[in-house]
Amino acid sequence: MAVQGDNATLVFSFIGYTTYQEVVGNRSILNVTLNPDTQNLEEVIITAYGTADKGNFTGSAVALKGDQIANRPINNVVNAIEGQVAGVITTSANGQPGSTPAVRIRGVGSVNASSSPLYVVDGVPFDGNLSNLNPEDIADMTVLKDASSAALYGSRAANGVIMITTKKGTKGKSNFSFKGQQGTSSRALPEYDRVNADQYYPLQWEALRNSQLGQGIEPGPAAQFASNELINVLGYNIYNVPNDQVVGVDGQLNPNAVNNFEGLNWWDEIERTGIRSEYNMTYSGASDRTDFYTSINYLKEDGYILKSDFERFTGRININTQATDWLKTGINLSATMSDGNNARADGGSSFVNPFFTARAVGPIYPVYAQNMQTGGFILDPDGNRIFDTGDLTQFGLPNRGSGSFPGRHVVQETLLNDDLFDRDAVSTRFYVEASFLKNFTFRINASNDFTSLLSIGYDNTIVGDGAPAGRSRRNNSRTNSFTVNQLLSYTNTFNDKHFVEVLAGHENYDYTFAVQTISKQDQILAGNTELDNFVTISSANGRVDRDRIESYFSRLNYVFDDKYSFSASLRRDGSSRFAPESRWGTFFSVGGAWNIDKEAFFSSNFFQMLKLRASYGEVGNNSVGGFYPWQALYDLGFNNATEPGIFQSSLSARELEWETNATYDLGIDFAFGRRFSGTLEFFNRESRNLLFSVPLSLTTGLSSVFQNIGTMANQGFEFNIQGEVMRRGDFSWNANINASSYKNEFKELPFEEQITGTKKLVVGRGIYDFWLRDWYGVDPETGEGLYRADVYDPDDANIKIVGADTLTTRFQNARFHFNGNAIPKLFGGIGNTFRYKAFSLNVLLSYSLGGTIYDGAYASLMGADPNGGAAHVDILNRWQQPGDITDVPKMDVTGAAQTDVQSDRWLVSSSYLNLRSVNLSYNVPKPLLDKLKMKSATVYLAGENLGWWSARSGMYVSGSFAGTTGNVYTVARTFTLGVNLNL
């Protein structure tokens, strides 16, 4: 703040905000609001081993400030990225509390190696779990996207870098803050719409009747057979009518049927509304020579599925001191204790996965055993309800249909089983920095990330995989990584026009992972799941893995007259993952920028900034094949009684070397109208020497070997713009929009083609191009499913000619073809901030346009023969009689094998719009704050994942980059009421 004139005008200014002036007059109280300065081009960007001025930066980087993370009810800092950074696409964090979403920066970097970015916390690569970080401790997150900004990290920056910087104390009066949040967690995506019991029985009846018709049985006997056998197939008759009268020979549900049963929706028993509580306290400040920041955080979040939760305690202390005029030092120490329950929703078809079993059980099977005549609950001797496992013949109950998993019970198993974790982590960052000879600085950084993780599993003795003996397992792992680097830098400005910065450094990275696992079975006493309470050792294993990297690197930055910028970097890495003769790789980058707006010939009142920049660089990737891909390895434990046995698991690959990512970037940064700023970029990213798992002949006894063969390219553009859209009196509206698009294509492969699931890898196509059977539709005369035929045989009765198409009813003769791609045509986010006096409303939407998704979860509900399994409501549109025009085949027990298979029938648009985050806040006015002796106070209501619009209700469209759905823990919706107090 500055005073001008004769105490008549006050000028308020702050970095990152527009300057505000006001004539004081005789007033003693002023209400001043500083607005974000979208034209502040001197913003400091956190880069590899240092910082850079945004105005002269030659690379591509986007910073998320702490206020873009604050007040959001998230338990993982990565959740803040979705929809906020151009060129970055994330999966939506699943509903398991504490989970970390996957991130891709500028496409897919590798096929068999990692495509995940490097996370750097306070200048050092981070090896802990990202859920260990307290979002309230984050000052900013910077995403380094191109080689010019990330190449100095060399072998670890192939897929971009996310720099996370924690808070420090600031000069002035010490500050104590408290934040409290209390809210709820529930399911954001509804379950797929499924038919009810009254609709279900006629569907199964049709499947039985049509299978008889297909065998040449007359309609009358076929219908009677279906009525007679319906309950024999499904097992359960929930109505008050005889079994052979549930569905009449006309295919209609008996109008006199009354449902005697209750509790037929298994989701009602396994879902809940979770409670979310978070409390955070910080104390910070600074003197002339020392700054400090301390924080304590507690988080407890229940998932919306039974026995899924996350509890975390974190603490941090960050102290920096200028010990002398030439020596500075600091330490940043954080510790985390977390534990919780994991839902076994891994995407697969395990019977203990609620998103598989509860979704798939037909709507005629009760959660609890009920009398088949009266519908009343069957109770145990203690008066408790009995879980109906579908095979309780001792109570006179029939077996469930095979499609509903008789003998299993996901609710009972979830309650009785355990899948727990207990994680302790300590992260330390220490540095000492000495300045000498005026322009030189020497700095030593030392860091350690340590994690101890205990995973506990238990399978009960009553039902499921552990029955009847019971089994328990313990997995104890320790991760310990050390990074030490030495940095020598020179910085100087000559003649007020030439700015030079030179950096030279050396770094050592040492990572150790140790794990011991033991599993025992034959439980002795009920209620005790400790290993001592089990008799037989099933397995006992342990190993220690080590990964080391040594690096030498240098960087040069040069700026002339604040107009022309040049940067270059060089790094050489040696990795223990490669053989000694091929373990060293050299990586580099060059970049340049031209601030056109600062040229004498450029005269524009419209543009406040116009900067062109370009960069090229090469970085490496070694994250493939475990820690020893170059060595011939042998697995132990293949013993014959007491005789030891080993098995060769991999071949030696001494010629294996670095996978290389070569990227060039062209960009233009602009600011105009004194209100808006933005960026338009084009990039081309080529992954060469792909670390590929190349298939071997079966005669070798091994499936594959790693080789450097293949090239894959990602090419696309990014656009973002932000600024103040409107200001009217006390009302303002600021908005930001980002949009991105890219194309992925193979340039070279070590084979002609490789089919992996729903994709085929081939030169000229992308990694996520779908390769599926060519589904044509439904024959309106017969109701059979039709495919475009691969082979024409005039004697084949399953062949049908329709126009120019040769069709077949046999999926074995269906041709395969490319159809659709999982990569969206356009994706990004739209953010809005509305302010009126003391109120503020922030709304963030994320979107994806174009692209396709293979909805396997939906396909599992569209079977032509449910046989006890659930059915989607779309199956009501099935073919029923000649002339019906529909895309759903007829119900048919025998025909299901031809129509329920993998094909492009299950492809659907993957476009979506997600109301990602909403925050309504109120800043308590200063007069009231003065009475309460507070600096500031904010009350807010926040929500995450509040609305989701896509092509199909219930489809988890953003859960996988590969464009597939599965039985995974879908996203959670949270509502939180919070308060922030600063004393």
Side-chain angles (χ1 to χ4, degrees):
M1 182 182 74
V3 180
Q4 292 184 348
D6 196 14
N7 290 333
T9 302
L10 288 179
V11 180
F12 298 84
S13 63
F14 190 77
I15 295 174
Y17 293 82
T18 55
T19 300
Y20 178 88
Q21 299 185 27
E22 184 163 342
V23 178
V24 178
N26 295 321
R27 290 177 293 170
S28 58
I29 297 176
L30 293 177
N31 292 319
V32 175
T33 300
L34 298 184
N35 298 307
D37 182 6
T38 60
Q39 318 313 330
N40 177 28
L41 308 178
E42 303 307 317
E43 178 186 352
V44 174
I45 297 291
I46 306 297
T47 63
Y49 304 102
T51 61
D53 291 333
K54 182 178 179 180
N56 295 316
F57 187 53
T58 65
S60 178
V62 177
L64 295 179
K65 298 304 180 183
D67 58 359
Q68 294 174 276
I69 304 172
N71 300 342
R72 291 185 61 178
I74 55 178
N75 51 37
N76 194 303
V77 295
V78 184
N79 290 335
I81 296 176
E82 182 180 347
Q84 300 220 65
V85 181
V88 178
I89 188 170
T90 74
T91 59
S92 296
N94 66 47
Q96 174 65 49
S99 62
T100 302
V103 178
R104 296 293 181 266
I105 300 175
R106 292 187 166 179
V108 184
S110 186
V111 178
N112 295 128
S114 172
S115 290
S116 298
L118 170 68
Y119 291 91
V120 175
V121 176
D122 290 320
V124 180
F126 181 67
D127 284 316
N129 192 297
L130 290 165
S131 65
N132 293 340
L133 299 176
N134 173 16
E136 287 298 310
D137 287 343
I138 306 305
D140 63 61
M141 298 172 61
T142 302
V143 182
L144 308 181
K145 297 187 289 184
D146 72 326
S148 179
S149 59
L152 205 60
Y153 282 114
S155 63
R156 310 186 69 182
N159 300 299
V161 181
I162 297 179
M163 311 282 293
I164 300 174
T165 305
T166 58
K167 293 177 181 178
K168 298 180 180 180
T170 55
K171 281 189 177 182
K173 188 176 180 180
S174 298
N175 183 75
F176 173 82
S177 68
F178 169 81
K179 170 184 174 180
Q181 291 184 344
Q182 192 69 38
T184 62
S185 174
S186 59
R187 188 169 184 164
L189 290 174
E191 184 51 45
Y192 288 94
D193 296 325
R194 294 164 299 160
V195 301
N196 59 33
D198 290 353
Q199 298 165 322
Y200 188 83
Y201 282 104
L203 288 171
Q204 185 65 58
W205 181 93
E206 274 189 42
L208 292 168
R209 190 272 311 268
N210 289 340
S211 68
Q212 293 293 298
L213 293 177
Q215 298 174 43
I217 307 299
E218 291 297 318
Q224 189 63 58
F225 173 86
S227 296
N228 293 341
E229 293 299 317
L230 177 64
I231 302 305
N232 291 335
V233 171
L234 297 178
Y236 280 53
N237 174 8
I238 65 173
Y239 299 110
N240 62 340
V241 296
N243 290 352
D244 60 355
Q245 297 178 28
V246 173
V247 176
V249 293
D250 60 353
Q252 301 299 312
L253 186 71
N254 190 327
N256 298 317
V258 176
N259 184 359
N260 288 324
F261 281 53
E262 56 183 296
L264 299 174
N265 188 339
W266 289 49
W267 286 112
D268 292 342
E269 297 294 330
I270 207 163
E271 279 190 47
R272 64 182 178 186
T273 297
I275 302 300
R276 186 183 191 279
S277 304
E278 183 175 8
Y279 304 97
N280 193 83
M281 292 189 297
T282 66
Y283 181 58
S284 62
S287 64
D288 290 339
R289 287 188 172 270
T290 301
D291 64 75
F292 66 92
Y293 171 87
T294 61
S295 73
I296 297 176
N297 176 272
Y298 170 75
L299 170 69
K300 177 70 166 71
E301 181 173 344
D302 297 329
Y304 63 81
I305 295 295
L306 291 179
K307 295 187 74 172
S308 64
D309 54 67
F310 179 66
E311 186 174 28
R312 181 185 68 199
F313 295 87
T314 65
R316 181 176 295 274
I317 181 168
N318 188 354
I319 300 176
N320 303 274
T321 185
Q322 189 74 47
T324 68
D325 292 340
W326 57 272
L327 185 66
K328 184 178 181 180
T329 186
I331 187 170
N332 192 338
L333 175 65
S334 67
T336 305
M337 296 186 299
S338 59
D339 58 59
N341 286 272
N342 291 316
R344 297 186 184 182
D346 57 359
S349 55
S350 167
F351 295 124
V352 294
N353 180 351
F355 285 89
F356 170 65
T357 307
R359 171 179 293 156
V361 172
I364 63 172
Y365 301 111
V367 175
Y368 298 100
Q370 299 177 46
N371 186 287
M372 298 302 296
Q373 282 69 45
T374 66
F377 290 107
I378 299 174
L379 305 179
D380 66 15
D382 296 325
N384 299 315
R385 296 179 182 178
I386 298 172
F387 288 104
D388 189 347
T389 56
D391 61 350
L392 299 181
T393 56
Q394 67 270 33
F395 294 104
L397 301 180
N399 289 329
R400 291 198 299 248
S402 62
S404 63
F405 326 120
R408 303 301 296 256
H409 200 293
V410 69
V411 179
Q412 185 180 18
E413 292 181 58
T414 296
L415 293 173
L416 295 178
N417 294 343
D418 288 331
D419 192 346
L420 313 172
F421 70 90
D422 189 333
R423 182 168 55 233
D424 299 318
V426 177
S427 183
T428 306
R429 305 288 188 267
F430 170 80
Y431 74 90
V432 58
E433 180 179 285
S435 301
F436 61 99
L437 297 179
K438 189 178 180 179
N439 301 114
F440 287 88
T441 302
F442 181 71
R443 180 179 176 121
I444 298 176
N445 294 293
S447 72
N448 171 239
D449 291 320
F450 171 80
T451 301
S452 176
L453 174 63
L454 173 62
S455 299
I456 301 172
Y458 168 71
D459 295 322
N460 73 90
T461 61
I462 299 173
V463 60
D465 299 319
R471 61 189 187 188
S472 189
R473 58 192 175 278
R474 299 292 186 274
N475 183 299
N476 202 333
S477 65
R478 293 164 62 92
T479 302
N480 211 351
S481 69
F482 294 90
T483 303
V484 179
N485 59 46
Q486 306 84 36
L487 309 175
L488 176 64
S489 61
Y490 170 81
T491 305
N492 202 0
T493 301
F494 302 94
N495 300 324
D496 295 327
K497 286 184 177 292
H498 305 275
F499 171 80
V500 177
E501 180 201 31
V502 181
L503 171 73
H506 169 262
E507 184 172 87
N508 279 103
Y509 170 77
D510 193 331
Y511 172 93
T512 303
F513 174 77
V515 60
Q516 295 82 39
T517 302
I518 186 169
S519 178
K520 297 180 72 176
Q521 62 185 26
D522 300 322
Q523 189 172 3
I524 303 171
L525 300 174
N528 185 341
T529 64
E530 296 299 326
L531 293 177
D532 282 350
N533 192 42
F534 294 79
V535 177
T536 307
I537 296 177
S538 304
S539 64
N541 303 290
R543 73 176 193 277
V544 177
D545 291 320
R546 195 172 183 188
D547 187 24
R548 300 186 66 185
I549 300 176
E550 184 172 16
S551 310
Y552 301 87
F553 51 90
S554 182
R555 177 180 62 205
L556 168 66
N557 288 327
Y558 171 73
V559 180
F560 173 70
D561 200 22
D562 214 25
K563 300 177 185 177
Y564 314 106
S565 304
F566 172 79
S567 67
S569 69
L570 181 68
R571 177 162 176 145
R572 187 159 174 80
D573 282 335
S575 171
S576 62
R577 299 194 182 200
F578 302 124
E581 61 269 24
S582 57
R583 67 178 31 154
W584 287 92
T586 302
F587 313 103
F588 70 93
S589 73
V590 292
W594 177 26
N595 288 294
I596 302 174
D597 59 285
K598 295 184 179 180
E599 294 287 357
F601 66 79
F602 187 86
S603 177
S604 173
N605 293 325
F606 181 71
F607 282 100
Q608 287 74 58
M609 177 191 183
L610 191 62
K611 182 178 75 172
L612 294 177
R613 53 181 169 80
S615 67
Y616 175 82
E618 296 182 2
V619 289
N621 193 344
N622 69 340
S623 301
V624 67
F627 297 102
Y628 319 102
W630 68 274
Q631 300 184 51
L633 300 179
Y634 295 82
D635 286 340
L636 304 175
F638 293 88
N639 304 328
N640 182 10
T642 60
E643 296 298 322
I646 61 175
F647 177 81
Q648 185 170 7
S649 58
S650 67
L651 296 176
S652 174
R654 299 190 67 91
E655 71 286 355
L656 203 64
E657 59 184 18
W658 294 91
E659 182 175 290
T660 301
N661 261 254
T663 303
Y664 68 77
D665 179 89
L666 301 173
I668 178 169
D669 301 329
F670 55 84
F672 62 92
R674 302 191 183 280
R675 300 173 69 182
F676 299 97
S677 63
T679 298
L680 176 64
E681 295 185 75
F682 171 80
F683 67 89
N684 188 84
R685 177 187 179 195
E686 196 168 88
S687 301
R688 304 166 182 166
N689 270 350
L690 287 172
L691 291 166
F692 237 108
S693 178
V694 180
L696 294 174
S697 168
L698 295 178
T699 59
T700 65
L702 299 171
S703 60
S704 62
V705 63
F706 283 104
Q707 296 179 9
N708 290 101
I709 304 176
T711 300
M712 179 175 63
N714 296 275
Q715 188 178 93
F717 77 88
E718 303 161 2
F719 173 76
N720 73 276
I721 187 170
Q722 61 274 327
E724 188 178 66
V725 179
M726 179 186 298
R727 173 170 288 277
R728 296 287 187 274
D730 293 322
F731 175 79
S732 68
W733 171 22
N734 285 71
N736 61 80
I737 301 173
N738 69 78
S740 307
S741 178
Y742 76 93
K743 179 183 178 182
N744 176 276
E745 182 181 351
F746 285 107
K747 304 290 187 180
E748 179 188 0
L749 286 170
F751 40 71
E752 289 188 8
E753 62 179 39
Q754 184 181 81
I755 297 174
T756 57
T758 59
K759 316 297 188 304
K760 182 166 79 168
L761 310 185
V762 63
V763 171
R765 308 294 304 204
I767 189 172
Y768 293 144
D769 283 14
F770 287 101
W771 175 255
L772 295 163
R773 294 180 181 88
D774 190 353
W775 171 261
Y776 177 82
V778 176
D779 189 330
E781 296 304 316
T782 66
E784 294 179 296
L786 296 173
Y787 305 88
R788 287 183 172 86
D790 184 44
V791 177
Y792 172 68
D793 182 354
D795 297 326
D796 187 349
N798 298 294
I799 291 290
K800 183 174 184 178
I801 306 297
V802 177
D805 292 305
T806 301
L807 308 176
T808 180
T809 59
R810 295 179 63 251
F811 79 85
Q812 295 90 340
N813 190 30
R815 77 174 188 183
F816 281 82
H817 71 147
F818 285 107
N819 184 10
N821 188 295
I823 299 174
K825 303 297 183 184
L826 196 71
F827 61 90
I830 304 171
N832 294 275
T833 300
F834 305 93
R835 292 187 178 90
Y836 179 73
K837 294 186 176 180
F839 290 92
S840 177
L841 175 65
N842 294 281
V843 180
L844 173 65
L845 299 102
S846 61
Y847 67 88
S848 176
L849 302 174
T852 51
I853 186 169
Y854 183 89
D855 196 355
Y858 170 80
S860 68
L861 299 173
M862 290 294 290
D865 176 27
N867 196 17
H872 196 277
V873 294
D874 286 353
I875 213 166
L876 298 175
N877 300 323
R878 70 206 178 279
W879 182 95
Q880 293 180 274
Q881 60 186 3
D884 284 351
I885 304 299
T886 178
D887 58 354
V888 182
K890 65 181 178 181
M891 305 299 295
D892 190 342
V893 170
T894 55
Q898 296 297 327
T899 59
D900 297 350
V901 298
Q902 194 176 86
S903 73
D904 59 9
R905 174 188 175 190
W906 312 117
L907 290 181
V908 66
S909 169
S910 61
S911 298
Y912 70 86
L913 176 66
N914 180 18
L915 183 54
R916 185 65 182 89
S917 175
V918 175
N919 186 293
L920 176 63
S921 63
Y922 173 74
N923 294 320
V924 176
K926 193 173 187 308
L928 181 56
L929 291 174
D930 292 339
K931 292 182 181 180
L932 298 174
K933 300 185 183 299
M934 293 183 183
K935 293 180 182 179
S936 66
T938 303
V939 181
Y940 56 92
L941 179 65
E944 299 282 316
N945 295 313
L946 301 185
W948 210 291
W949 297 270
S950 65
R952 179 173 291 131
S953 177
M955 182 171 62
Y956 189 12
V957 68
S958 60
S960 165
F961 296 122
T964 57
T965 62
N967 304 301
V968 297
Y969 203 142
T970 58
V971 291
R973 174 185 291 120
T974 58
F975 289 98
T976 297
L977 180 65
V979 59
N980 290 351
L981 306 176
N982 286 294
L983 307 180

